[in-house]
Amino acid sequence: MLPSLESLRCFEAAARTLRFREAARAVALTPTAFGQRIQKLEEDLGVALFVRTTRSVQLTREGLALLPLARRCLLAAEACADVASHGAAATSMDLTLGTRHELGLSFVVPSLDALRRALPRVELHLYFGSGADLLLRLRSFDLDCAITSSHLADPKLDAHRLHREDYVFVATPALLAERPLRRAEHARAHALLDASPDLPLYRYFRDAAGSEELPFARVVRLGTIEAIRQRVLAGAGVAVLPTYLVRGDLAKRRLARVFPKITLAHDYFRLVFRKDDVRRAMYDELARALLARPLR
């Protein structure tokens, strides 16, 4: 027996809140009626979806597997209702785009008016997060698409290649005058500022140089690229950063290149979306519109 949309709506609310009373209010049902909907859904599917005690509610393994599918069904039902209500005259379609904080403010936000002209029926919403967070939210249907340079290992995700992302190894001129960094052994006098252990920006220098790790005095992880840039400008250490982000700092000589003869490895930004998303044509248009905008 196919589950009803109302049962799936109740399940999604319960899975989102993990509080049955709160979920019941969200779907305008009494707690008793809400509990009956969940029980009926579990009976129809033949599995337990929640582990319930007097103090907590948790999803079972089957509940976790059902959640993204239920959300997909509800989204499709909403789209059907919109077509039924508005037909060809439907004015807009909501699309939530995830992006890194720095790229969002320097590239995506300034491009919003141009994107609106290119896709007049799309209402674009933004979410800011890290690369790993963006991919996780794509898989869980919290985002429709995302711009990231993270490498894709999930066969359920697809992507359009966007702008090339170049990197540069930088420090303040004052720091390099006080403590030069021209040979590997000089690194012992410096702190390396980086983002995270799993996605170090320093790898773009290491891979290009083809050498072992430089023996830095310490490595400080700051989480976001803009935080790294601010600390580098304060003279707190050296770092590998995206060229687009520090181009102005280099031009105004607030920053200088470290090992300037080494061309660092590069990457690409990608517009990532789920392979089974039926709106692929829309992502094709969005990718073309993003490529038409200069990276900055």
Side-chain angles (χ1 to χ4, degrees):
M1 182 180 295
L2 293 176
S4 71
L5 286 175
E6 280 303 308
S7 294
L8 292 178
R9 188 165 71 99
C10 291
F11 164 73
E12 195 281 333
R16 176 164 29 88
T17 62
L18 293 179
R19 293 182 179 88
F20 273 33
R21 286 187 175 275
E22 181 180 335
R25 287 195 298 271
V27 297
L29 289 175
T30 66
T32 300
F34 185 87
Q36 290 171 347
R37 290 285 179 88
I38 296 297
Q39 183 179 357
K40 180 69 165 55
L41 179 61
E42 290 177 323
E43 291 173 353
D44 289 345
L45 296 177
V47 295
L49 300 173
F50 297 94
V51 177
R52 283 162 280 184
T53 69
T54 55
R55 295 188 175 183
S56 69
V57 175
Q58 297 295 328
L59 283 164
T60 63
R61 182 179 299 178
E62 292 79 9
L64 286 169
L66 177 62
L67 181 56
L69 301 174
R71 284 175 171 164
R72 190 184 310 167
C73 288
L74 292 170
L75 285 172
E78 289 175 4
C80 290
D82 188 61
V83 169
S85 300
H86 304 289
T91 56
S92 67
M93 183 178 296
D94 288 337
L95 200 68
T96 302
L97 168 69
T99 180
R100 209 167 63 195
H101 181 266
E102 299 82 9
L103 182 71
L105 293 183
S106 67
F107 173 60
V108 179
V109 172
S111 301
L112 286 177
D113 289 339
L115 295 177
R116 179 81 178 195
R117 290 191 293 271
L119 290 87
R121 289 191 55 219
V122 173
E123 189 67 48
L124 200 60
H125 307 276
L126 299 183
Y127 172 85
F128 295 93
S130 66
D133 175 52
L134 297 176
L135 295 181
L136 178 63
R137 289 180 179 274
L138 266 175
R139 297 185 193 101
S140 63
F141 292 81
D142 292 322
L143 295 177
D144 298 302
C145 56
I147 301 174
T148 176
S149 56
S150 297
H151 288 201
L152 300 183
D154 190 336
K156 294 182 179 180
L157 298 179
D158 205 350
H160 287 306
R161 181 183 285 187
L162 302 176
H163 293 287
R164 170 168 159 162
E165 186 176 30
D166 292 300
Y167 295 86
V168 60
F169 199 177
V170 293
T172 61
L175 179 63
L176 294 177
E178 178 186 345
R179 285 173 276 164
L181 183 49
R182 292 190 290 268
R183 298 194 296 272
E185 58 268 26
H186 291 166
R188 294 188 177 91
H190 290 275
L192 174 67
L193 310 182
D194 215 321
S196 64
D198 54 330
L199 287 172
L201 296 170
Y202 173 69
R203 73 187 185 276
Y204 292 106
F205 171 80
R206 181 193 59 212
D207 294 348
S211 62
E212 297 180 359
E213 299 282 347
L214 294 180
F216 292 104
R218 64 187 189 282
V219 178
V220 181
R221 309 196 193 282
L222 297 171
T224 71
I225 294 175
E226 180 58 27
I228 298 170
R229 173 179 170 269
Q230 292 293 334
R231 292 300 291 154
V232 172
L233 287 169
V238 301
V240 173
L241 286 168
T243 303
Y244 78 87
L245 187 67
V246 297
R247 188 176 289 116
D249 298 319
L250 290 168
K252 295 178 180 178
R253 299 186 180 180
R254 291 192 292 255
L255 293 177
R257 295 173 182 264
V258 179
F259 295 108
K261 293 183 179 180
I262 297 177
T263 301
L264 275 62
H266 64 270
D267 213 329
Y268 287 91
F269 287 114
R270 302 168 187 85
L271 178 67
V272 186
F273 49 91
R274 294 180 297 277
K275 275 187 177 179
D276 60 359
D277 195 323
V278 297
R279 297 168 295 182
R280 186 184 185 98
M282 185 188 303
Y283 300 130
D284 296 345
E285 291 184 53
L286 180 58
R288 286 193 291 270
L290 288 166
L291 272 170
R293 302 290 300 168
L295 183 62
R296 52 183 179 175

